[in-house]
Amino acid sequence: MNFNVIFDYMPMYTKAFLLTIKIGWIGIALSVGIGIVAAFILHFKIPVLSPIIKAYVELFRNTPLLVQLFFIYFGLPKIGISISADVCGAVGLGLLGGSYMAESFRSGLEAVAPSQTESALALGMNRLQLFRFVILPQALSISVPAIVANIIFLLKETSVFSAISLMDLMFTAKDLIGLYYNTTECLVLLVVFYIIMLLPVSVLGSLIEHKVRYRMFGD
């Protein structure tokens, strides 16, 4: 282990880490938005839209992110739609994550007691108000473990961004290994930066889950 090599590579890994974090969290925010909208449509079985959302969920949950990125980055230009690698990464991650988030939110929605819905409708709320003020807050609380697991999964999936020439952590590690053959040092740095990226999410998710569970069940 050459620590001088590690110190020399640190700035490059830091830059790649910041890029990975930026694109990853933009994709996660997009996935949450898609997931909430998709879950709303599936929960209320909105005509026309519901089958489309079901097809979307099945398509993106059953194909690898790498294939989706290739389609977006290399396929769309064939029909005149060209986007940058950064945007491609965020959109691809958002679409993949949206399919998982949709199922997580939907399971949370279905876990809300029917009496809550009936009471809200009796008070004169429309479906949008019912969803926003009554069902969604409770569903989010129930879905916290699944949401945190999805976030960690999506952050780890950023490792395939290197396939579309994004200078993320994996791209940097492979590039440096190919150039200088300092495999051990490069892999150690890669592991360290992924731990820095993922461990706080895992710890924070556990704390939020415990707090939500305490509020709901008192234990």
Side-chain angles (χ1 to χ4, degrees), residues 164-184:
I164 55 172
S165 302
L166 268 174
M167 292 288 291
D168 67 330
L169 285 170
M170 186 62 71
F171 185 98
T172 300
K174 291 193 296 184
D175 193 40
L176 291 172
I177 289 171
L179 288 172
Y180 305 111
Y181 301 101
N182 295 310
T183 305
T184 302

Side-chain angles (χ1 to χ4, degrees), residues 122-145:
L123 291 173
M125 287 186 177
N126 58 38
R127 282 190 173 186
L128 185 59
Q129 292 172 324
L130 167 65
F131 183 78
R132 179 181 175 186
F133 298 111
V134 179
I135 297 178
L136 184 58
Q138 297 180 67
L140 287 174
S141 298
I142 296 168
S143 302
V144 165

Side-chain angles (χ1 to χ4, degrees), residues 156-208:
K156 289 191 291 186
E157 283 293 288
T158 58
S159 61
V160 304
F161 284 169
S162 59
I164 55 172
S165 302
L166 268 174
M167 292 288 291
D168 67 330
L169 285 170
M170 186 62 71
F171 185 98
T172 300
K174 291 193 296 184
D175 193 40
L176 291 172
I177 289 171
L179 288 172
Y180 305 111
Y181 301 101
N182 295 310
T183 305
T184 302
E185 291 81 1
C186 289
L187 293 180
V188 167
L189 281 169
L190 184 64
V191 170
V192 168
F193 273 96
Y194 269 112
I195 290 174
I196 292 172
M197 180 168 61
L198 295 169
L199 187 59
V201 177
S202 180
V203 172
L204 182 60
S206 297
L207 292 174
I208 294 173

Side-chain angles (χ1 to χ4, degrees), residues 84-102:
S84 66
D86 292 25
V87 174
C88 174
V91 170
L93 199 67
L95 290 172
L96 174 68
S99 64
Y100 284 92
M101 291 293 186

